[in-house]
Amino acid sequence: MKHEKKRLILTTVICLLPIMAGLVLYSRLPERVPTHFDFSGTPDGWSSRPFAVFGLPCLLAALNVFLYACLNRDPKRANMSGALKTVSQWSLPVLSVLCYGLTLTAALGYPSRIEIVVPLLTGILLLVIGNYLPKTKQSYTMGIKLPWTLQSEENWTRTHRLSGFLWVLCGLVMIPLSLLRLWSGWLFGALLAVMVLIPTIYSYALHRKGI
């Protein structure tokens, strides 16, 4: 428990670290800072300078605390994959530092290559998660949480085996598409459908068969 508290403090502090960079560069930042980008890397959403500097890191820090609370209050937390739990706990700190750095880079007028970096790292993350999904046991906060997967351990196991394969496959597709700058909204939608809809339909089909 002490180890978990130390990790919570460390990851929350890392979520807030970008504020220091924002303070150093505050006078150089425009009044409206780009905080959302389309699939080609073009800004399509802006926030005020104070919110970009202070609000976004604080929001991610709050989400980090909420994530820890959910993971540690799960009645089946003993079933959680240690590797997946670690990935979950470090995802928001990494996201805070990475996205904040790309946001500041774009705000200062430098090429951020956000259209390459974000989907590339997402593809790598899918590879990691997909590798561990088949090893994940029943949990209320981690995995493919459907009524029938939570009711049947066999349904859970079969669904996560398929999901793991599909997530790894989608990660392998995302990485070269990102490097080749062939990423688009419809491709993202197609991969999302593969990762979410196919396991859901498969799991429900198993449920209908009494599994």
Side-chain angles (χ1 to χ4, degrees), residues 25-48:
L25 299 171
Y26 196 86
S27 61
R28 297 176 55 190
L29 295 175
E31 289 296 328
R32 296 173 69 243
V33 177
T35 51
H36 191 275
F37 304 81
D38 62 20
F39 286 95
S40 64
T42 303
D44 60 0
W46 290 262
S47 299
S48 66

Side-chain angles (χ1 to χ4, degrees), residues 47-206:
S47 299
S48 66
R49 181 167 54 181
F51 180 78
V53 172
F54 301 103
L56 292 179
C58 288
L59 177 61
L60 288 173
L63 288 174
N64 186 60
V65 174
F66 177 73
L67 173 64
Y68 266 77
C70 291
L71 291 174
N72 290 312
R73 291 182 181 179
D74 189 330
K76 296 188 177 184
R77 57 185 176 275
N79 288 343
M80 291 180 184
S81 163
L84 275 185
K85 187 176 181 180
T86 299
V87 170
S88 300
Q89 291 172 329
W90 282 98
S91 59
L92 287 172
V94 172
L95 181 67
S96 180
V97 173
L98 172 66
C99 290
Y100 198 85
L102 294 174
T103 296
L104 290 183
T105 300
L108 294 173
Y110 299 109
S112 64
R113 303 302 182 196
I114 195 169
E115 74 279 8
I116 297 177
V117 176
V118 172
L120 175 62
L121 293 181
T122 301
I124 295 173
L125 183 61
L126 290 178
L127 284 177
V128 174
I129 295 176
N131 181 61
Y132 286 102
L133 272 179
K135 307 167 188 176
T136 304
K137 297 181 180 180
Q138 284 178 316
S139 165
Y140 291 107
T141 53
M142 189 176 295
I144 313 299
K145 301 173 293 297
L146 299 168
W148 37 90
T149 57
L150 292 173
Q151 290 173 3
S152 168
E153 187 172 346
E154 185 176 356
N155 190 308
W156 175 283
T157 300
R158 291 193 185 186
T159 299
H160 282 73
R161 284 176 183 169
L162 175 63
S163 297
F165 170 77
L166 293 175
W167 282 48
V168 168
L169 179 63
C170 288
L172 290 174
V173 171
M174 285 186 70
I175 291 173
L177 288 179
S178 304
L179 295 174
L180 295 173
R181 302 183 70 176
L182 297 176
W183 198 235
S184 65
W186 73 266
L187 279 172
F188 176 77
L191 292 181
L192 189 63
V194 169
M195 292 188 296
V196 176
L197 290 181
I198 293 180
T200 300
I201 294 172
Y202 174 72
S203 181
Y204 181 71
L206 292 176

